[in-house]
Amino acid sequence: MLPRAVAVTRCLSLAAVLGSASVQALEFPLPPPGEDVIGQVQVIKAKYEDTFADIATANDLGYLEMVAANPGVDPWLPGEGTEITLPTRFILPPGPREGIVINIAEYRLYYYPKGQNVVYTYPLGIGREGWGSPVTNARITTKVPNPGWTPPKSILAEHAANGDPLPAYVPPGPDNPLGPYKMGLSASGYLIHGSNKKFGIGMRVSHGCFRMYNDNVLELAAMVAVGTSVRIVNEPYKFGRANGKVLLEAHTPLEESGHESVVDKHTAVINALLKDDQFSNLQLDWDMLREVVAAEDGLPVEIAQPGQQAVVHSETQAF
């Protein structure tokens, strides 16, 4: 099996090292049946004035996924000519490919338009610690352009306690934290909406709602209808197949308190493998798997090759 760094490099697009110009919205054809991977990792060269926040906005990426994919690079001053990895290759979340699927562990939304063989994906801001976004099955119940905002009592009290009182009502406009559009969910109290702040998409910043870049929320709102399903999951470890190979994409697990140990993380990966029958007859490269879990960089990496057959047993594989 290849070293992890080489395995990641093989995933780079042919036009890997580019200028830092904006790419098109993240729309991909769905992979064929039995495959799960979309997109290609890209590399750009930073300009002098670039920051991760600027690059993320221009490329429909979130701030933390940029940081994870570029360890050791200063996110506020990468430096002229520095090569920046764009994590634009994704393993689709497990489960049905229909409606909207939100994976809070990767701060990302996937939308599968009915009757079309494509998927759109967008970065999200999600609920911060103490205000976690829910894991649930829901649906779009309302669509409201140019919304006003009436802060709930809990948020009014929090801001008042912090010496930053809020008005009882914020009218539509550039100062409205809901941005140019909101979509209500059947999960009571939760929204998908835009934002009046450029920074924060791809981070834990909200009171549980899902924030999007304003151009993204307008694009999504134009495509989805009231009644669209919204499946919210928390999957820090995603497995998938591409060209007969098995890949793993690892993200830092969300934590409400404390930190998961290495053993906890490895146990979660083994459990995810054991519950998926399609991986039961493969011999995995456990050294590579350890490296991917340790890196938590969100880049899909090959962890098994075709033609290797052995049963995965949690009790015999020691991390």
Side-chain angles (χ1 to χ4, degrees):
M1 185 67 70
L2 296 170
R4 182 183 168 281
V6 177
V8 171
T9 302
R10 279 196 169 185
C11 297
L12 297 178
S13 64
L14 294 177
V17 182
L18 310 169
S20 57
S22 173
V23 300
Q24 294 180 343
L26 295 182
E27 174 190 350
F28 302 101
L30 283 176
E35 300 210 349
D36 311 285
V37 181
I38 58 173
Q40 290 292 334
V41 177
Q42 301 174 78
V43 173
I44 63 170
K45 285 188 176 180
K47 298 178 181 178
Y48 173 77
E49 67 274 16
D50 281 338
T51 68
F52 277 12
D54 296 325
I55 295 171
T57 302
N59 293 281
D60 282 340
L61 294 167
Y63 178 76
L64 288 182
E65 63 185 337
M66 286 289 299
V67 172
N70 294 276
V73 179
D74 186 339
W76 296 110
L77 190 63
E80 178 80 30
T82 299
E83 292 189 0
I84 306 296
T85 298
L86 301 182
T88 47
R89 193 183 197 208
F90 311 94
I91 296 175
L92 294 173
R97 296 175 186 175
E98 57 188 36
I100 290 172
V101 180
I102 293 173
N103 184 11
I104 60 175
E106 61 175 316
Y107 306 85
R108 185 156 285 278
L109 177 153
Y110 296 84
Y111 173 55
Y112 304 93
K114 189 174 182 179
Q116 301 181 39
N117 197 39
V118 299
V119 58
Y120 296 86
T121 181
Y122 305 101
L124 297 174
I126 67 169
R128 56 186 171 85
E129 290 188 23
W131 296 84
S133 300
V135 174
T136 188
N137 292 322
R139 66 185 187 281
I140 300 291
T141 56
T142 59
K143 295 174 60 180
V144 181
N146 300 312
W149 183 47
T150 302
K153 292 181 180 179
S154 58
I155 295 179
L156 289 171
E158 179 190 54
H159 278 258
N162 292 333
D164 178 30
L166 290 173
Y169 176 75
V170 181
D175 296 326
N176 192 299
L178 300 183
Y181 215 103
K182 75 173 183 179
M183 289 174 275
L185 302 181
S186 58
S188 181
Y190 294 97
L191 305 169
I192 298 171
H193 63 81
S195 177
N196 64 337
K197 297 179 180 179
K198 180 179 178 180
F199 189 70
I201 306 303
M203 300 177 67
R204 300 190 72 176
V205 291
S206 77
H207 289 86
C209 292
F210 302 102
R211 294 185 188 177
M212 301 181 70
Y213 292 126
N214 288 337
D215 58 337
N216 286 173
V217 76
L218 290 171
E219 181 178 79
L220 181 64
M223 294 188 290
V224 304
V226 169
T228 298
S229 62
V230 181
R231 183 166 57 91
I232 307 170
V233 300
N234 182 6
E235 298 283 352
Y237 307 112
K238 297 188 297 178
F239 296 88
R241 288 180 181 266
N243 300 317
K245 300 175 182 178
V246 178
L247 295 89
L248 169 62
E249 178 185 323
H251 300 267
T252 302
L254 300 176
E255 298 154 350
E256 292 302 322
S257 61
H259 297 279
E260 286 193 351
S261 69
V262 172
V263 173
D264 290 335
K265 293 178 180 180
H266 290 161
T267 300
V269 172
I270 293 174
N271 288 338
L273 280 168
L274 290 173
K275 72 180 183 181
D276 196 326
D277 291 340
Q278 68 172 319
F279 303 119
S280 61
N281 65 341
L282 290 174
Q283 176 66 54
L284 303 178
D285 184 329
W286 293 95
D287 290 333
M288 180 67 77
L289 193 149
R290 290 187 193 95
E291 289 189 39
V292 176
V293 173
E296 294 180 341
D297 58 13
L299 301 176
V301 176
E302 177 189 332
I303 58 169
Q305 294 180 348
Q308 297 176 317
Q309 293 190 347
V311 177
V312 176
H313 291 298
S314 62
E315 69 269 19
T316 61
Q317 297 293 348
F319 277 93

